[in-house]
Structures are given as C-alpha cells and as structure tokens.
Amino acid sequence: MAEPFYITTAINYPNGRPHIGHAYEGIATDVVARHQRQRGRDVRFVTGTDEHGLKMDQTARNQGRATIDLADEMSGHFRDMANRLNLSYDEFVRTTEDRHKAASIELWKRMEANGDLYLDRYEGWYSVRDEAFYDESELNEGEGGGKLSPQGTPVEWTAEETWFFRLSAYQDRLLALYRDNPDFIRPESRRNEVLRFVEGGLKDLSVSRTSFDWGVPVPDSDGHVMYVWVDALTTYMTGVGFPDSEGEMFQRYWPADVHMIGKDITRFHTVYWPAFLMSAGLALPKQVFSHGFLLARGGEKMSKSAGNVVDPMELAERFGVDQLRYFFIREIAFGQDGSYSAEAIVQRANGELGNAFGNLAQRTLGFIAKNLEGHLPAIRGHDRADAELFDIVDKAVRTDIPAAFDSLALHQAVEAWLQAVFACNAYIDAQAPWTLRKSDPERMETVLATLYICIAQLAVAIAPVIPASSAKLLDLMGVGDELRTYEGIGSHWYSPLAESDFQIAAPTPLFPRVELAEDETA
C-alpha cells in the first residue's frame, strides 16, 4: 500500500470573502499535495473554514443577520475559490458541522481528564480581529493612545469567568520538542521567534468565553463556548475522522506531515496546538510551515482597512488559473514575503509559460503534425547533443524538481524546470529540424523524438503547478495517465508509444497571450 501523506491549509476565517493571500496558501499547499501524488504517495489534503468566534458574531450582527447565515454564505465563497483554483482537496471541513463539534468536545474532554483545565476569572487584553489574547508586554501604543497587538490590531480589556488551559506546564516539553525536532517549525526564522517567545515564559491560556454564544459549547459548563482556536485547530483531526481515534482513517493519516499556515498565526499552531495534543495524548504534526505575506504593490500588507485587498477570482478570470498558480510559485521564495502586481503576472505568463514552454511545445508538435502527418517520430540513432539534453532534462525531472518540492523550496523547483525548458529551446534552435527536413529527414525525426520525450517529461514535472495545462498537453501528446509520474515519464516509456498508431493533431496555443489594462501599463 502506498505511503500516506497528510497536508492541510490553515482553516480560513470567513468573516469576509477570500483574498489573494488565501489563494496563495491554497495553491502552494495544492502544489505539494499534487507533487506527493506524483511521488506515488497516498495523499490526503484537507482545507476548510473556521466559522466560530467573536469576530464572526459581530460581523453578522452588524449586518443584521443570523451568524449561521453569514457562515454559510462566506464558507461557500471559500469552497468556490478552492474549486476555481483547481485545488485537489479531499475534504473541506466547516467548524459548524456536527462531526467537528464532536471532535472538539472529545479533545476538550481529553485535556480535562489530564487535569489541564480549570475554572477561573480572566482579565486582560484581547484582539477581536486576531481572536487572540496578549500580555501587556506584547502591546504597542497606537495613534491617539490606544493599544495595539503585535499584529497592529486593536485590543480591548476583557474580564469574564473562563476555563483556563495549563499552558505553563508545557514550557519545558515544548522547548524539548523544538530542540529534538528542528524541522517542526519552518522556516528557521519563524522557529527562532517561537523559541524566544516560549523561553520568555508561558502563562496559562484562557480557553472559553461567556460574553457570546457563537461557538462549540463547553461540555457540562453552562454558558461557556470554546475559545475559537481550540475549536479551529481541531479541524485538522476532524478531516481524518477524529474523534474516532481508533478508526482506519485516523490511524492511517494522523499525524499530519505538514500544516501550511501564514506567519501571523504561527504561535497558535506551534505553541498552543502541540500543547493541546500533548495534553490529550495525541501525536503531534510532523511539521508546521509558516509562509510569508503576499504584499501589494509598494510592499504594503493587504487588508480591508487599507482598501488594497485583491480578489483572486478576478485575477484568475483575467489571466488564467494556471497562469496565476505559476506566478505565485515562481515569483515568491516560499517562506518569505512576496509582492504581487498585474504587470508581474503578465511578464511571467507571457515570457516563461507562453514564450519559453508553450512556444516550444507548439512548434515541436506543430512540426510533427504537419511534416509527419501527426505520427510520432522515430529515434534513428542519438548523437552527443541528444544525450546531453536528455541528461539535463532527466536530472531536472527526476532529481532536482522532486527534491526541491520535497523540501518545500517551491520556487527552486520551478527554476530548475525553467532551466531545462531553456535547454530544450537552445537545442531546437541549434538542431533546426526545419532545415533537416530536406537535408537529413532521419536526423530530423530523431531531433523531434528527442524533443517530444523532453517536452512530455517537463509537462509531467510542472503538473503540480499548472495541472490543467499540463494535462491538456499530455493528452495532445498521447501520454497515458499511468505515465504521468516522475518515474513513469522516464525516457524508457517512449518505445511503445512510438510503435502506436497515435497521431498528434495540430496544437493550439497552450498559453494564449495575456495583456494589461491601459491603466496598468507604464
């Protein structure tokens, strides 16, 4: 049986429509999931929406509607985004589902049975926007004398009876976790931030609220609902069958191989979450990868208050889904902040996808369709130039690209792919099959066969990033589904295809040229 691999996005908070940051994280997670499937692993990819908490309740009240109605609408937008962007998720979990409430209650009972929950009174600073509690020492002074969280969000003084989790009791165990598993938090810069926070001392965490009732009820405790992060983090286990911890699905996929999250929620996933799981006697995720922000033109963080939020659906409609996916993975060093602009998307889409790869496939397959009546070209003896190109492409497809994806160096994987594409373009220009057509037809076929093999290999290698375009090209080339893996697409597969009756039809452009609007040009 194939080795399991479990990956999740953060659980999106749907008090507004999806923005481009949500799209970026979803696409990056999908790339890793698709890559692992091409590795032959049994992948489970879970995403969803975190619909409880004060912020959702306030948003609904301000709109004069029931909170569940807002949750239904907004969760639908996030599911639509995932589908539109071709995310290959296996489960979309909503925290308002009964199965998730059961999972959250089971986690709570396990922590309670371990003696880590107690009732007391909370007084302190709370950010509604972050759904987070902050110590006085973490706050900054805002304009006009107000206090702000480390994220720059307003905080308010809160006082109420709540249940507390004995987070302070887990300080040493968390530090041991970070020490013994240096890859538990990535990248290293985020790991260092968490280390400093935990080394500074942990206080017990308020994990219930009584000032509103929109959440999972605390068992046997009238008027209390769970702190939204207890509820939200449990979603990762709901997606693999918890609370049935002895069930086949949970036993197969838990713990998660990777939680993909934004850097602003690192603390919740790398301090609170492992502590909850330790208390409940459950295995910890193997890795939490905390990626950077996607910034607007000029380096500003996108936010509704700044008025610079970008609709990813609009971008996908304008430039194409695969073009947008490619841009995100190619443009941004995964783990660092990156910037977006329409101009940059157009440059990547037209220059690299269109001109470099799309044009390579177009002129090679078009030449086969026209001059060989679409029949696959035969290999009639390789020379040194052919062997050198095979070596370059084979190393990229079977070594460099998979290794980079494995280590979550997503942009490096695309860079390795692009360099192999450039090598193919240099080869076709040097070999000039259009000249060989008259002077040496047999050599022409070998050159076309070499290109055909390399293009197919490259189409498979980039499939995690541009799945629809890759599938379209491989269909046109007659490459079967069983060959669309890193191993399957090796050069040995060519012989039976060459003996088949498959004929290549004249191709249409794989990546039609995209243009900027007049007000976006310099």
Side-chain angles (χ1 to χ4, degrees), residues 33 69 72 156 186 191 223 272 293 463 468 520:
D69 290 342
D72 288 343
E156 57 187 41
R186 291 185 59 204
R191 177 177 179 271
Y272 304 162
F293 288 140
E520 293 173 315

Side-chain angles (χ1 to χ4, degrees), residues 207-257:
V207 290
S208 76
R209 303 298 301 275
T210 57
S211 56
F212 60 96
D213 61 2
W214 178 246
V216 177
V218 172
D220 304 317
S221 186
D222 289 344
H224 287 258
V225 295
M226 293 182 194
Y227 173 42
V228 66
W229 278 103
V230 177
D231 159 23
L233 292 162
T234 309
T235 308
Y236 300 133
M237 296 193 297
T238 306
V240 288
F242 193 76
D244 184 9
S245 57
E246 300 303 317
E248 180 180 350
M249 183 181 295
F250 191 81
Q251 289 290 313
R252 178 158 182 75
Y253 292 107
W254 190 260
D257 290 85

Side-chain angles (χ1 to χ4, degrees), residues 318-319 342-343 346 349-350 512-518 520-521:
R318 287 183 62 194
F319 302 122
E343 182 180 12
V346 167
N350 290 341
R513 187 171 181 83
V514 295
E515 303 288 347
L516 290 169
E518 289 186 10
E520 293 173 315
T521 58

Side-chain angles (χ1 to χ4, degrees), residues 11-18 48-61 63-80 92-97 101 214-215 228 231:
I11 308 305
N12 298 308
Y13 202 79
N15 68 318
R17 288 174 176 265
T49 44
D50 166 22
E51 300 167 28
H52 289 134
L54 180 57
K55 186 164 50 177
M56 278 291 290
D57 195 47
Q58 287 183 346
T59 301
R61 288 177 184 274
Q63 295 179 10
R65 60 194 301 194
T67 311
I68 187 61
D69 290 342
L70 174 67
D72 288 343
E73 178 191 343
M74 290 302 170
S75 181
H77 291 312
F78 278 85
R79 190 188 292 268
D80 289 346
F92 189 100
V93 180
R94 296 183 57 186
T95 58
T96 49
E97 296 178 66
K101 292 178 182 178
W214 178 246
V228 66
D231 159 23

Side-chain angles (χ1 to χ4, degrees), residues 183-448:
D183 285 338
F184 176 71
I185 306 171
R186 291 185 59 204
E188 187 177 2
S189 59
R190 239 73 82 199
R191 177 177 179 271
N192 292 337
E193 292 171 3
V194 172
L195 269 173
R196 288 195 296 270
F197 174 73
V198 176
E199 287 171 346
L202 295 177
K203 296 181 179 180
D204 290 352
L205 179 68
S206 172
V207 290
S208 76
R209 303 298 301 275
T210 57
S211 56
F212 60 96
D213 61 2
W214 178 246
V216 177
V218 172
D220 304 317
S221 186
D222 289 344
H224 287 258
V225 295
M226 293 182 194
Y227 173 42
V228 66
W229 278 103
V230 177
D231 159 23
L233 292 162
T234 309
T235 308
Y236 300 133
M237 296 193 297
T238 306
V240 288
F242 193 76
D244 184 9
S245 57
E246 300 303 317
E248 180 180 350
M249 183 181 295
F250 191 81
Q251 289 290 313
R252 178 158 182 75
Y253 292 107
W254 190 260
D257 290 85
V258 185
H259 290 322
M260 290 286 204
I261 63 167
K263 68 179 183 180
D264 53 335
I265 53 175
T266 303
R267 181 187 303 180
F268 305 99
H269 287 78
T270 60
V271 180
Y272 304 162
W273 182 224
F276 295 159
L277 293 171
M278 289 175 184
S279 174
L282 295 164
L284 308 187
K286 298 173 186 177
Q287 185 174 104
V288 178
F289 194 98
S290 178
H291 63 77
F293 288 140
L294 192 61
L295 306 175
R297 187 191 296 268
E300 296 179 345
K301 182 182 175 182
M302 294 186 189
S303 68
K304 287 186 289 186
S305 59
N308 59 359
V309 173
V310 176
D311 181 356
M313 300 300 93
E314 180 184 343
L315 293 180
E317 183 67 28
R318 287 183 62 194
F319 302 122
V321 172
D322 277 355
Q323 287 86 339
L324 185 63
R325 290 173 61 106
Y326 180 85
F327 168 78
F328 281 146
I329 304 305
R330 167 73 170 123
E331 182 79 8
I332 303 165
F334 198 56
Q336 300 178 21
D337 291 345
S339 61
Y340 143 84
S341 72
E343 182 180 12
I345 294 176
V346 167
Q347 289 175 345
R348 295 292 189 193
N350 290 341
E352 295 175 0
L353 284 181
N355 294 343
F357 186 57
N359 189 46
L360 171 70
Q362 176 87 10
R363 55 179 176 164
T364 300
L365 301 183
F367 198 88
I368 293 172
K370 181 178 180 180
N371 294 282
L372 298 177
E373 297 181 342
H375 294 290
L376 300 184
I379 297 175
R380 304 183 186 278
H382 284 303
D383 68 11
R384 181 176 178 179
D386 310 332
E388 288 177 350
L389 183 64
F390 277 137
D391 286 345
I392 291 170
V393 174
D394 190 73
K395 181 175 182 295
V397 169
R398 295 159 69 91
T399 302
D400 296 344
I401 295 171
F405 279 140
D406 279 345
S407 65
L408 303 184
L410 308 185
H411 62 294
Q412 292 180 14
V414 177
E415 176 63 27
W417 174 81
L418 192 60
Q419 291 305 314
V421 171
F422 290 156
C424 288
N425 278 295
Y427 170 88
I428 192 173
D429 289 341
Q431 297 300 316
W434 45 87
T435 300
L436 293 170
R437 181 170 60 87
K438 293 183 178 179
S439 62
D440 192 345
E442 290 193 355
R443 175 60 189 161
M444 175 198 73
E445 284 204 57
T446 298
V447 168
L448 292 173

